[in-house]
Amino acid sequence: MEQQKLSGSQFGNAAERYLDSPVHAKGQDLARLSKLVRGPIRALDLGCGAGHASFALASNGAHVTACDVSDKMLEVVMMEAERRNLAVETALAPAEELPFEDASFDLVVTRYSAHHWFDLKRALAEAARVLAPGGRFVVIDSIAPEEPLFDTVLQTIELLRDASHVRNYSVSEWKAMLGEAGFAAAESDTWTVRIEFQSWIERLGTAPERVAALKSVFPEFPDEAKRHFRITDDCSFDLGTAWIGSVRN
């Protein structure tokens, strides 16, 4: 798909910046992920990016497969895993079309990736397929507000910054789709991440004309949205984030 090619190319060019990005390399959610590992379980990091979730899981003994659409991202993952002396395998594939046998994994994790997937429902069906019965699925991702106005604002700025963006989903949308895919009732926690505008656009290498569009649209958002996202004069803002966990029925 053209969208997948765009995502792979765009993020491949920024692979090393994502490895060093504090937004991605740090967070209590990484420590929480490592605590899910009990012995040598089989874990899949779906849409692995620079591999931070993979490293958290492998450091506690999981047998990890890092999967992404960007071969350059996977090269960075392998080099960093070797540097850390962690056993991580890689696979080049989209989330919607996984090259694994049924029930191949005990744990499937995706972190800051699912908002780029072209067909989320198909990807969730694939995650359910490759999970063993009783296996756990965890998504960590930026989320859309439940309110339509704030949702529209978020999708606008995400798409202007990143042409490969598909959609941030709300927690309620996530839970509904997980249920449709055959997962048990999901549990969730939410928090906010402060997005510093300049590093946000530099990390991806957003084109100058898109940066200009972002800077022009931020001041025009309704006051309610500016308060909700805590938008400041430099266009920095708060981004809602969630941990959503479920078990394959």
Side-chain angles (χ1 to χ4, degrees), residues 15-26 52 199 203:
E16 292 188 0
R17 293 195 294 273
Y18 274 82
L19 178 63
D20 297 330
S21 163
V23 172
H24 298 80
K26 299 179 181 179
H52 299 105
S199 61
R203 183 162 56 246

Side-chain angles (χ1 to χ4, degrees), residues 182-246:
F183 290 92
E187 298 181 353
S188 63
D189 296 311
T190 60
W191 63 96
T192 58
V193 174
R194 187 66 182 170
I195 301 299
E196 194 275 319
F197 181 82
Q198 193 61 34
S199 61
W200 184 60
I201 58 173
E202 289 178 354
R203 183 162 56 246
L204 186 64
T206 303
E209 59 271 22
R210 286 178 170 269
V211 174
L214 281 164
K215 289 183 176 180
S216 69
V217 77
F218 267 98
E220 302 303 319
F221 288 138
D223 288 342
E224 298 94 327
K226 292 177 182 177
R227 288 192 294 269
H228 176 85
F229 292 103
R230 295 181 59 232
I231 296 171
T232 50
D233 290 343
D234 66 349
C235 299
S236 297
F237 62 98
D238 281 357
L239 181 62
T241 308
W243 168 298
I244 304 170
S246 189

